[in-house]
Amino acid sequence: MADTNARILLVEDDADVRQAISLWLTASGYTVATAGDGRAGLAAIRAQKPDAVLLDLRLPILDGFGVLASLAREGGEPPPVIVISGQDEIQGVIQAFRLGATDYLQKPIVSFDLLAHALEAVLERQHLSRAVRLAETRYFNLVQNLPLLVFVLEADLRVAFINKFCRTLLGFSRGEALTEQDWFVTRLHPGDRERLVASLTRDFPARGHARTEECRFIHKNGATIHALLRAIPSTRPNHDDAASMIEGIVVDITDRVELERFVVQEEKLKTLGAISAEVAHEIRNPLFSIAGFAHRLQARMPDNREAGIILAEARRLEDILDRISTYLHPVDLRPRLCSLGAIVSAVVEFLAPEFSARGVTAETKLAAGLPDLQLDPELLTQVVTSLVRYASKRLPQGGRVSLTTSRHARFIHLDVTFATTMPVADPELLFLPFEEGEERLGLPLAYRIVKNMGGSLTFFQLGGEATFTVQLPLGAPYDQALDLDEEEDETGGEPF
């Protein structure tokens, strides 16, 4: 049903014809404006933005062809134009359509029913066109602002479309992702790349059959992003049934993966800690008795070697019991705003002499724009120092430790990664206060500090590479929503 409240502009130089059509349009419920020449008609279109235009081709000053040509050159969304003219040459009609005319009626108008039908048709098409454009705009904005990566790949895995969340997730703008030929493949983690490429290209499922893969991506700053990738093969319009494109999404699950590791680790540490506390309690009394006996024996026999050995081992056991007792007590935190990037830089500068003495290098990849944390900066510095010092002491001569910061939803991550020829034999005991040594003593304390800050500290090793991951909460006001990058990218375009 056409909108009879629409605004119609009538451009006609014949006053009698203009009056007759105007009266009929008004009687039909339309809002009418008129112009007597092409230049006045063009000005009225620009000023009044009518819903449709009835245009005579033979006009003074600027004819109808000139009006159509001007509208075409201006671009934008010109109103639909119905040509009403005595022009009966087919070439004139063809030229009018080429210049953008929507319909053509010949003068004199034999029946206003023809005009009514033509107006209803163009107004209905205009209404549908606007509705489609509005839906496309809403859909495009929705896709662009989803807190997950939405992509379309060509069959050779080149990026055909990607939303602007790629900057938040991987640190790249849409323009970079679209112009770099192998961007998607190079962002896949080397450990997952061959498997994912084979999954998305070779023996890909039939059109419409989705596939979900858990995988890892590499952030622009080198951080590892754990993700779920869901891909659906699709075809281009007017193509056969063979899948020629891949549509999909990538969901960041880094926080979930680290949380799962932390929960498993925490349960193991709780069990070991409970056992340790009970054992410490049970052996403290007999330990004191043994130490007292050794003291008396040594007082009577100062040269007795065995008494000295008993006393030394008793002191060592008592030191372990003290460390366990200290480990089980909460940490006193004094939080204030601090920058994780500044703390990392300060730690690297502080440890530089130690690195230089062993030929070790420290590489920092600090994400830009990370918000400050409401945590204890002194204790956080102690945590980073302990992790880096432990990593550097397990590096071969000339080795390298990498410190990478990144943001994931409501957390900030610090990854301390190092290649080592000495894998940790018992990672489960790494954060418990059993073994002696300055750097090992720092790890249990670092674990306690991070835990009391509301974060998590995990250790993961694969092959010859090991990584400590510190996950720190952003807290208010960042716990309400993602702080997404709203800046427009330089590359636009339709979403699909």
Side-chain angles (χ1 to χ4, degrees):
M1 180 67 66
D3 181 9
T4 55
N5 293 317
R7 301 183 305 275
I8 309 298
L9 173 65
L10 172 62
V11 186
E12 169 64 58
D13 63 327
D14 189 315
D16 293 336
V17 174
R18 188 167 64 244
Q19 182 180 19
I21 296 178
S22 296
L23 289 173
W24 177 84
L25 290 171
T26 302
S28 299
Y30 295 105
T31 301
V32 185
T34 62
D37 61 70
R39 183 174 296 173
L42 194 58
I45 292 173
R46 293 166 178 165
Q48 301 178 26
K49 302 188 183 304
D51 295 300
V53 178
L54 301 178
L55 177 66
D56 188 10
L57 289 179
R58 292 175 176 170
L59 293 169
I61 306 177
L62 180 68
D63 65 12
F65 297 112
V67 174
L68 289 170
S70 295
L71 292 176
R73 284 194 302 269
E74 291 177 2
E77 298 180 16
V81 177
I82 300 175
V83 170
I84 301 178
S85 178
Q87 178 77 250
D88 55 0
E89 292 184 3
I90 189 62
Q91 291 301 324
V93 176
I94 293 174
Q95 183 182 358
F97 279 113
R98 284 177 175 172
L99 290 172
T102 305
D103 205 345
Y104 179 89
L105 294 176
Q106 189 172 5
K107 286 197 302 186
I109 298 177
V110 178
S111 171
F112 279 112
D113 288 342
L114 293 175
L115 179 57
H117 176 75
L119 268 176
E120 288 177 1
V122 298
L123 290 173
E124 183 69 17
R125 285 198 297 270
Q126 181 80 338
H127 174 74
L128 292 175
S129 177
R130 287 174 179 171
V132 169
R133 285 194 300 271
L134 179 60
E136 287 177 346
T137 300
R138 287 175 175 169
Y139 176 64
F140 182 77
N141 290 335
L142 173 64
V143 169
Q144 285 294 351
N145 291 286
L146 283 172
L148 49 85
L149 190 69
V150 181
F151 65 86
V152 179
L153 304 178
E154 303 284 359
D156 59 1
L157 302 187
R158 285 184 296 111
V159 178
F161 167 81
I162 197 164
N163 69 341
K164 66 182 183 181
F165 192 72
C166 64
R167 185 188 292 277
T168 303
L169 182 66
L170 298 173
F172 291 86
S173 69
R174 294 182 63 228
E176 291 174 311
L178 289 166
T179 55
E180 185 179 329
Q181 183 171 353
D182 297 322
W183 181 85
F184 188 84
V185 174
T186 56
R187 287 302 95 204
L188 292 172
H189 190 282
D192 298 333
R193 189 173 298 157
E194 183 177 353
R195 172 176 63 86
L196 261 295
V197 170
S199 174
L200 295 175
T201 55
R202 188 172 64 244
D203 302 325
F204 199 63
R207 180 167 61 90
H209 186 80
R211 170 172 290 182
T212 302
E213 301 276 359
E214 186 167 341
C215 59
R216 293 165 293 173
F217 287 82
I218 302 298
H219 193 277
K220 191 175 187 178
N221 66 9
T224 298
I225 310 297
H226 295 267
L228 280 179
L229 184 150
R230 185 165 180 81
I232 305 173
S234 64
T235 61
R236 298 179 187 275
N238 303 321
H239 280 61
D240 57 24
D241 289 339
S244 59
M245 304 188 78
I246 301 168
E247 300 176 0
I249 61 172
V250 175
V251 181
D252 184 359
I253 60 170
T254 305
D255 290 338
R256 191 199 78 183
V257 170
E258 294 301 331
L259 180 60
E260 288 175 351
R261 288 179 183 171
F262 177 71
V263 169
V264 173
Q265 179 177 279
E266 176 73 0
E267 288 302 314
K268 292 178 179 179
L269 290 178
K270 277 184 179 179
T271 302
L272 290 171
I275 294 173
S276 301
E278 184 65 26
V279 170
H281 175 73
E282 292 297 327
I283 69 174
R284 192 174 289 274
N285 289 335
L287 178 62
F288 285 160
S289 298
I290 293 171
F293 172 77
H295 272 294
R296 291 192 297 272
L297 181 62
Q298 193 176 48
R300 292 182 181 180
M301 306 174 64
D303 297 330
N304 188 292
R305 180 172 175 271
E306 286 76 8
I309 293 174
I310 293 173
L311 279 174
E313 290 302 312
R315 281 193 292 268
R316 190 174 72 85
L317 286 173
E318 189 173 351
D319 182 57
I320 292 175
L321 294 179
D322 288 340
R323 293 208 305 270
I324 293 173
S325 177
T326 302
Y327 175 81
L328 296 175
H329 283 85
V331 179
D332 182 22
L333 300 175
R334 299 178 180 178
R336 63 179 186 272
L337 283 177
C338 57
S339 166
L340 180 59
I343 289 174
V344 169
S345 299
V347 169
V348 170
E349 184 178 358
F350 172 73
L351 295 178
E354 295 183 26
F355 295 158
S356 178
R358 300 188 60 250
V360 171
T361 59
E363 178 185 27
T364 58
K365 301 175 181 177
L366 307 179
L370 290 181
D372 289 343
L373 299 167
Q374 186 70 23
L375 299 174
D376 189 318
E378 283 76 22
L379 291 180
L380 190 53
T381 299
Q382 187 175 346
V383 169
V384 178
T385 302
S386 298
L387 299 180
V388 175
R389 181 170 275 156
Y390 176 85
S392 65
K393 289 187 176 182
R394 297 188 76 87
L395 286 172
Q397 188 76 17
R400 182 177 64 181
V401 59
S402 175
L403 293 90
T404 304
T405 61
S406 57
R407 180 177 177 180
H408 305 269
R410 293 171 295 178
F411 295 91
I412 287 180
H413 284 198
L414 168 64
D415 292 324
V416 180
T417 304
F418 57 101
T420 177
T421 55
M422 301 180 292
V424 177
D426 295 309
E428 296 172 3
L429 303 179
L430 200 58
F431 300 116
L432 285 176
F434 294 144
E435 295 193 29
E436 298 175 282
E438 182 181 352
E439 73 278 1
R440 284 302 299 269
L441 188 59
L443 293 183
L445 181 57
Y447 181 87
R448 288 175 54 226
I449 291 172
V450 174
K451 180 182 175 184
N452 279 265
M453 287 179 174
S456 66
L457 171 59
T458 58
F459 176 79
F460 179 74
Q461 62 182 3
L462 181 63
E465 186 174 86
T467 300
F468 287 107
T469 297
V470 182
Q471 181 172 272
L472 300 168
L474 281 170
Y478 303 101
D479 57 354
Q480 298 299 318
L482 296 177
D483 185 22
L484 298 179
D485 181 5
E486 297 296 336
E487 180 183 353
E488 288 297 326
D489 290 309
E490 63 272 23
T491 303
E494 294 301 319
F496 293 99

